[in-house]
Amino acid sequence: MASAYGARVLWIAVLAGLVFLGLQLIRPTLTNPPVTAELQAPPEVRAVLRQSCYSCHSNETKLPWFDQVVPAYWIVTKDVKEARAHLNFSEIGKLPAPQQKAALYEAVNMIQLGAMPLPSYLRVHPGAAVSAENLKVLRDYLNPPAPAGAAAAADTSAADAQYKGWIAASNQTLTVKASPNGIEFLPDYKNWKTISSTDRYDNHTMREILGNDVAVKAIAENHINPWPDGTAFAKVAWAQQPDGKGVSQTGAFIQVEFMIRDSKKYASTKGWGWARWRGTDLKPYGKDADFSKECVGCHEPVRQNDYVYTMPLGGQQ
Ligand code: HEC
Ligand code: HEC
């Protein structure tokens, strides 16, 4: 009696074992295609992503043994395939630099929201968590802290002097045409406050982001999501001219673009008026008013930030 019972348990165990082994044979293929164009970013930025994100969002997936066992293998394979389809750090390097940056802004948002790495994955792979220091590495790359120290200050004032010279030379005699969506040029932006500026890694361009008084007040009072009506930002870009001593100087003016907040007037373009003027003759950008879609589309990854990329110091965590 007892032995018949024991034999039955044994059989069930053997069968379960066979089923388990059999299931191991059902393996969707997961390959590592070649790395064609890795994200262009400084090594410390890539190191952070490598530690926390590359196992899913790259062509360099390395599975520990416990992920090789079905059913864990099925879950991980599905996650990796989906993750690569959304964002692949091994192929994103072929996109223009601003788009790579846009992807990183979205990545930082996902990390800050606790959405990435996938929480279910983190429970089993705690080493993939993004530490506060690592998050800072990513944030500092996207929005470098204001330059400090005498050398940096000297660079900045040299750039400022050139910039003021350019404004003085170009703006006086120009009559600037309105943008195709009706927005008028705002020459006053040169008196706005610098919120962020960088000459780093940016496709050989330098850029400066300025905010008007409403923006500066909103930052001081931490009312930046949504930004109040009347907020305006300018982003100015120049070509970068290294002077041979490793110091970059501002070269030719490329463009200035604006975001102007008015939740009613610009409701159809996410509450912001968008406009861009290019070249030293300040030619309005866009064939017709539809060009705003291009702007909105690329700012979409930061919709949770009211479509603004720049994370002012003091704002947000
Ligand atoms: C376990 C695998 C896994 C890891 C690790 C992981 N992700 Fe993801 N990620 C996914 C999957 C699956 C999706 C798509 C489905 C979804 O949005 O939930 C996704 C989507 C995303 C998206 C949205 C992309 C889009 O276009 O919608 C971003 C951004 C992102 N991940 C960033 C990151 C970052 C940054 C890290 C590292 C800090 C990371 N992920 C780590 C699996 C992963
Ligand atoms: C290819 C993606 C892309 C497109 C297209 C784009 N932007 Fe941006 N924009 C960015 C990124 C990324 C930043 C963050 C600053 C940086 O890294 O240069 C930014 C920043 C800005 C800023 C400074 C405020 C902020 O969000 O940080 C303004 C103003 C701006 N863009 C206006 C425009 C206008 C106007 C257009 C359309 C004519 C436009 N942008 C199209 C990617 C884009």
Side-chain angles (χ1 to χ4, degrees):
M1 191 68 185
S3 70
Y5 177 74
R8 203 189 274 170
V9 169
L10 186 68
W11 266 113
I12 289 171
V14 166
L15 267 177
L18 284 175
V19 167
F20 180 75
L21 287 175
L23 286 178
Q24 300 304 318
L25 299 174
I26 309 176
R27 297 180 82 78
T29 41
L30 181 64
T31 53
N32 276 333
V35 177
T36 48
E38 198 180 4
L39 172 79
Q40 291 165 29
E44 69 271 19
V45 167
R46 288 211 284 224
V48 169
L49 301 172
R50 193 169 278 279
Q51 181 184 338
S52 298
C53 322
Y54 270 43
S55 56
C56 294
H57 290 283
S58 85
N59 295 345
E60 298 183 66
T61 302
K62 290 190 199 93
L63 296 184
W65 68 267
F66 53 86
D67 281 342
Q68 314 256 8
V69 180
V70 166
Y73 182 77
W74 293 343
I75 298 168
V76 173
T77 306
K78 183 171 164 288
D79 282 348
V80 171
K81 284 184 175 165
E82 234 178 279
R84 282 178 184 168
H86 279 82
L87 168 69
N88 189 333
F89 288 117
S90 301
E91 294 172 6
I92 198 172
K94 61 176 182 263
L95 298 180
Q99 250 159 291
Q100 295 183 45
K101 271 207 157 166
L104 283 186
Y105 275 103
E106 189 179 13
V108 167
N109 267 336
M110 295 294 237
I111 295 169
Q112 289 184 165
L113 291 168
M116 284 291 146
L118 289 177
S120 57
Y121 180 82
L122 273 187
R123 279 195 288 276
V124 194
H125 308 82
V130 181
S131 65
E133 300 93 90
N134 283 353
L135 180 57
K136 191 169 177 304
V137 169
L138 301 181
R139 287 175 54 102
D140 284 353
Y141 168 56
L142 294 172
N143 253 340
D155 288 357
T156 317
S157 60
D160 278 357
Q162 285 202 3
Y163 171 55
K164 293 213 173 80
W166 172 78
I167 292 285
S170 65
N171 261 13
Q172 282 160 357
T173 51
L174 270 180
T175 32
V176 183
K177 276 212 214 113
S179 167
N181 56 9
I183 294 178
E184 296 285 349
F185 188 64
L186 300 171
D188 195 39
Y189 77 89
K190 56 184 185 268
N191 301 319
W192 297 354
K193 279 236 172 64
T194 304
I195 295 174
S196 136
S197 91
T198 178
D199 56 355
R200 290 168 61 190
Y201 318 115
D202 240 322
N203 231 4
H204 307 295
T205 62
M206 297 178 81
R207 60 122 176 98
E208 189 167 29
I209 290 160
L210 305 140
N212 68 355
D213 289 347
V214 181
V216 171
K217 186 162 174 275
I219 292 168
E221 293 170 357
N222 205 15
H223 285 155
I224 61 172
N225 201 352
W227 291 85
D229 280 358
T231 300
F233 294 106
K235 174 174 155 185
V236 197
W238 300 270
Q240 195 179 63
Q241 274 183 343
D243 67 357
K245 293 175 220 131
V247 176
S248 297
Q249 300 275 323
T250 45
F253 172 83
I254 299 172
Q255 64 178 24
V256 57
E257 48 192 355
F258 295 96
M259 287 172 70
I260 303 154
R261 176 85 208 188
D262 188 327
S263 47
K264 285 207 193 80
K265 193 167 166 194
Y266 302 125
S268 66
T269 48
K270 310 295 180 188
W272 292 95
W274 307 80
R276 175 189 285 169
W277 283 267
R278 293 184 63 93
T280 41
D281 56 346
L282 293 174
K283 199 167 166 271
Y285 174 84
K287 277 202 282 299
D288 49 42
D290 259 7
F291 80 89
S292 304
K293 284 192 190 140
E294 207 185 297
C295 317
V296 172
C298 206
H299 281 244
E300 183 73 24
V302 284
R303 59 194 170 276
Q304 281 116 338
N305 265 1
D306 199 14
Y307 294 87
V308 174
Y309 273 112
T310 303
M311 295 173 266
L313 295 169
Q316 252 211 19
Q317 68 130 21

